[in-house]
Amino acid sequence: MFFYEKIRNNRFNNKAAILIFNSLIIFCRLFIFKRKRSEIRIVIVALQRLGDTVFTIPAVKSIIDFHQNSVHIICYPETTPIFKLIFPKQEYVELKHEFFFINNQIAKPIARKILRGLDPTIIYDMTGNVTSASLLFNSSASEIIGINEKYYKSIYTKFNPLRREPHLIDNYLDGIRDLMPIYKSNDAKIITNFNQNRILIHPFASKRSKEWGLKKFIKLAESLNKEFECIMVTPPLSISTDVKEVLHIKQIPLIETKTIDELIELIKGSLMLIGNDSGAVHIANLLGKPTFTIYGPTNPEYHKPLNGVNEYIIKELPCSAKENEKICFTFGGVYCPSYECMVNLKYDEVEDRIKLFLKTNSNRKSK
């Protein structure tokens, strides 16, 4: 079980951890010299995966609109293209994953050196976890504003704890809600061609537990190909040679996108995207495309797209995430031995829902 869950499950341990961590942070920050700066420099720290990056956009836009200054956005290299769709004129500082220890969780000195080189006066933390805490704890910025676990509260001059209620977009907005007008919409208003016959299927996700199953997606693509041009889209090297041969025999095109820019361009020219709870779905929603999402161990109320035309399906089980839980009790399937929520979601259920969704919402040319 992950650190936070181990601690939270014991009230005494949780309170003790909050006290110990904040005491250590206060001690470390006693030795930080905050010099006066004549120029205001704004830095937004947004070290997220693809889907969560999309969820930060309303908060990031609110910050940029409020300050009317050039803003530096610190992010991962793969999320820069997403931000640039909405904020093409901002400055981007990309932190490579190799700049972090322990599965990208703890910032190395090189990451803190890069932040220090920006000499920020105000930092907005739109990440809210140990990764951003380890990056910011010794920053000399005059103000550090944002969200995080209570263990790191002493880093911030203006702090909001992570919310336990939906939606994740509101989680990021909480960090600035009392400071400025907020921009709630996630609609990028990017002009793309909606009158297409192409449907994309993105069969993978960040965790195996969130995947409905490649065989079922192939069967779905074969069925939809009778009426649409259905394309399987995957990252490179994620499909074996044997599966590629199956796709070839069934006349299902496969496109392996090597970069997020390639994925964005592919989505722009398509009618809609079908996938698991993954970054591809949220990028498609950001681009104004209808989406159909298959959920399993995550709670749609926290993770579903809030704008545009979207539908989802989930197999509710006794072990599924409860009303005010983001993920199921197996930490979103990480410790699930059998992925029952995905296994028990039958092909016919999904196909019927998708075909109804297409009949109701598609605006397309005939094949």
Side-chain angles (χ1 to χ4, degrees):
M1 195 173 280
F2 285 82
F3 167 77
Y4 294 134
E5 298 306 309
K6 284 183 178 180
I7 298 297
R8 286 196 195 111
N9 286 344
N10 184 298
R11 183 177 296 179
F12 174 79
N13 287 346
N14 190 47
K15 289 184 177 180
I18 291 172
L19 177 62
I20 292 169
F21 273 81
N22 280 286
S23 297
L24 288 171
I25 291 166
I26 291 170
F27 178 76
C28 291
R29 293 190 64 79
L30 287 175
F31 302 94
I32 296 172
F33 173 70
K34 295 185 178 181
R35 62 184 179 83
K36 291 185 177 180
R37 300 167 175 86
S38 57
E39 181 183 357
I40 295 178
R41 297 183 182 180
I42 313 296
V43 169
I44 299 172
V45 178
L47 297 167
Q48 306 284 10
R49 289 178 173 168
L50 302 180
D52 284 324
T53 295
V54 175
F55 290 153
T56 67
I57 284 174
V60 172
K61 187 178 190 312
S62 299
I63 294 167
I64 292 171
D65 289 350
F66 179 72
H67 284 284
Q68 297 292 311
N69 291 83
S70 177
V71 172
H72 285 83
I73 299 176
I74 295 180
C75 59
Y76 292 127
E78 66 271 20
T79 60
T80 300
I82 298 174
F83 281 124
K84 283 187 174 180
L85 286 170
I86 316 299
F87 314 114
K89 296 181 181 180
Q90 301 306 316
E91 299 289 334
Y92 292 88
V93 179
E94 298 177 346
L95 296 186
K96 299 177 182 178
H97 291 279
E98 63 197 55
F99 294 169
F100 298 86
F101 295 109
I102 314 175
N103 195 27
N104 297 329
Q105 293 190 71
I106 308 296
K108 293 181 180 179
I110 186 174
R112 289 191 288 274
K113 182 179 179 181
I114 291 170
L115 173 62
R116 191 163 57 249
L118 297 175
D119 195 23
T121 52
I122 303 175
I123 297 175
Y124 290 93
D125 181 11
M126 292 291 111
T127 307
N129 57 28
V130 67
T131 305
S132 58
S134 65
L135 179 67
L136 300 176
F137 81 94
N138 66 345
S139 170
S140 62
S142 301
E143 295 183 71
I144 304 178
I145 300 163
I147 54 168
N148 214 316
E149 298 285 350
K150 292 180 180 179
Y151 313 111
Y152 315 117
K153 178 179 179 179
S154 298
I155 294 173
Y156 302 87
T157 55
K158 175 72 168 93
F159 170 81
N160 273 285
L162 298 179
R163 65 160 55 205
R164 305 302 173 200
E165 300 81 27
H167 186 278
L168 289 182
I169 287 176
D170 287 305
N171 195 41
Y172 301 115
L173 288 171
D174 282 350
I176 59 170
R177 201 177 296 275
D178 298 332
L179 303 175
M180 63 189 69
I182 60 173
Y183 176 81
K184 292 186 178 181
S185 175
N186 216 20
D187 182 6
K189 295 182 174 60
I190 297 169
I191 299 174
T192 60
N193 189 350
F194 281 82
N195 194 21
Q196 295 289 323
N197 200 52
R198 176 182 292 176
I199 293 177
L200 301 182
I201 292 181
H202 192 280
F204 297 116
S206 59
K207 299 183 182 72
R208 172 66 184 86
S209 59
K210 296 168 68 175
E211 295 174 358
W212 185 45
L214 184 56
K215 288 184 178 179
K216 288 185 279 191
F217 273 120
I218 291 174
K219 185 177 180 181
L220 178 65
E222 188 177 18
S223 174
L224 294 178
N225 257 346
K226 296 172 184 177
E227 191 176 355
F228 296 85
E229 178 193 1
C230 198
I231 295 175
M232 198 75 68
V233 53
T234 70
L237 305 177
S238 56
I239 298 277
S240 68
T241 303
D242 291 344
V243 173
K244 287 181 180 180
E245 183 61 27
V246 170
L247 293 173
H248 177 72
I249 292 170
K250 294 180 179 292
Q251 297 184 320
I252 301 172
L254 169 66
I255 297 179
E256 296 177 294
T257 53
K258 299 180 180 64
T259 66
I260 298 303
D261 282 311
E262 287 185 15
L263 177 61
I264 288 171
E265 290 305 311
L266 186 61
I267 293 172
K268 282 182 178 180
S270 302
L271 170 69
M272 68 169 290
L273 187 139
I274 300 167
N276 307 296
D277 178 19
S278 65
V281 166
H282 297 293
I283 292 172
N285 175 250
L286 183 66
L287 292 168
K289 300 297 181 179
T291 67
F292 189 97
T293 311
I294 300 170
Y295 286 92
T298 54
N299 186 342
E301 293 306 310
Y302 286 81
H303 301 91
K304 66 185 179 182
L306 293 183
N307 298 289
V309 179
N310 309 283
E311 184 61 90
Y312 69 85
I313 189 170
I314 185 171
K315 188 71 172 180
E316 296 281 0
L317 299 174
C319 57
S320 296
K322 302 302 184 287
E323 183 179 354
N324 281 332
E325 294 177 345
K326 287 195 297 183
I327 54 179
C328 71
F329 78 98
T330 65
F331 211 81
V334 172
Y335 299 104
C336 182
S338 54
Y339 310 145
E340 292 295 319
C341 55
M342 286 304 198
V343 172
N344 290 325
L345 184 54
K346 302 304 181 186
Y347 171 80
D348 288 344
E349 295 179 68
V350 176
E351 183 189 42
D352 289 346
R353 286 282 297 277
I354 288 175
K355 287 188 173 179
L356 177 61
F357 178 70
L358 285 167
K359 183 179 179 180
T360 305
N361 296 290
S362 68
N363 173 25
R364 60 181 181 81
K365 299 175 181 178
S366 301
K367 188 172 180 179

